[in-house]
């Protein structure tokens, strides 16, 4: 049974968090093992239907946008599966940028995008806690990442996600780990 949640402003955050490192977080991890972990992360996002969960809010932002495609930033994108699927499902109505601090993950994501011929997606390095963020996105998403962070870092990440969006600020976070789930949705006009 999940712990009780509290609502603060626009944020719904679980009261209990588990900080747990994963295989892909280990120093000295070989590229083959890292790729295997990234593939598994993609499966977890597929099973949890992350893209399907995000699409309604993103489609609403896309329909409200007057000029050009909706700009989406997928934070801590790992192997890029969510960013690529969003790009594929939204087509020319979206331009997706995935960011991650792992160059192995970014190379994996770029190769996957090439294999799937996803043209409206790009990947860029970004340490989400210490690097300067771009601020010109309509929608900011993040999935399956909070369990890597302390409470303070998770709060900082959510604030940075909100700050990275423009006119219609839309931030969507879908992070589950075990039986504990965290969710954030923010929309400002």
């Amino acid at each position: 049974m999940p712990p009780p949640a509290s609502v603060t402003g626009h944020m719904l955050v679980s009261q209990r968090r588990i900080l747990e490192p994963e295989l892909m977080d280990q120093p000295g991890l070989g590229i083959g093992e890292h790729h295997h972990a990234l593939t598994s992360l993609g499966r977890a996002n597929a099973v949890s239907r992350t893209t399907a969960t995000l699409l309604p809010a993103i489609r609403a932002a896309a329909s409200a946008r007057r000029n050009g495609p909706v700009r989406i930033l997928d934070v801590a994108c790992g192997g890029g599966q969510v960013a690529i699927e969003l790009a594929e499902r939204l087509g020319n109505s979206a331009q997706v940028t995935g960011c991650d601090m792992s160059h192995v993950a970014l190379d994996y994501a770029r190769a996957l995008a090439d294999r799937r011929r996803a043209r409206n997606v790009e990947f860029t390095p970004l340490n989400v806690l210490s690097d300067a963020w771009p601020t010109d996105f309509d929608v900011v998403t993040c999935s399956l990442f909070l369990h890597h962070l302390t409470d303070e870092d998770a709060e900082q990440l959510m604030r940075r996600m909100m700050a990275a969006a423009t006119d219609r600020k839309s931030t969507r976070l879908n992070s589950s780990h075990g039986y504990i789930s965290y969710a954030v949705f923010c929309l400002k006009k």
Side-chain angles (χ1 to χ4, degrees), residues 35-176:
H35 283 190
H36 178 73
L38 292 167
T39 300
S40 297
L41 178 62
R43 286 188 191 116
N45 273 309
V47 167
S48 66
R49 299 183 33 83
T50 299
T51 303
T53 301
L54 298 171
L55 275 173
I58 294 172
R59 284 195 171 122
S63 67
R65 186 156 171 76
R66 296 173 196 247
N67 298 319
V70 64
R71 298 162 309 196
I72 302 166
L73 178 63
D74 186 28
V75 176
C77 69
Q81 293 94 340
V82 171
I84 292 166
E85 190 172 347
L86 286 171
E88 290 170 341
R89 296 199 46 194
L90 293 165
N92 291 334
S93 68
Q95 177 57 47
V96 183
T97 301
C99 65
D100 202 284
M101 65 184 255
S102 166
H103 290 282
V104 172
L106 293 171
D107 289 345
Y108 178 101
R110 289 180 190 115
L112 182 61
D114 285 345
R115 282 194 308 277
R116 290 172 60 169
R117 295 188 173 101
R119 301 292 173 233
N120 53 329
V121 63
E122 63 185 0
F123 297 94
T124 187
L126 182 73
N127 181 319
V128 298
L129 298 176
S130 63
D131 292 346
W133 282 39
T135 57
D136 58 346
F137 291 92
D138 301 301
V139 176
V140 181
T141 67
C142 183
S143 65
L144 303 179
F145 182 64
L146 276 185
H147 61 277
H148 294 271
L149 305 177
T150 64
D151 289 344
E152 295 79 18
D153 287 344
E155 183 178 335
Q156 177 188 356
L157 173 71
M158 289 183 249
R159 290 185 194 289
R160 290 182 127 203
M161 288 174 68
M162 289 176 63
T166 56
D167 302 329
R168 277 180 66 95
K169 294 187 178 184
S170 180
T171 302
R172 182 73 121 173
L173 175 64
N174 174 25
S175 189
S176 299

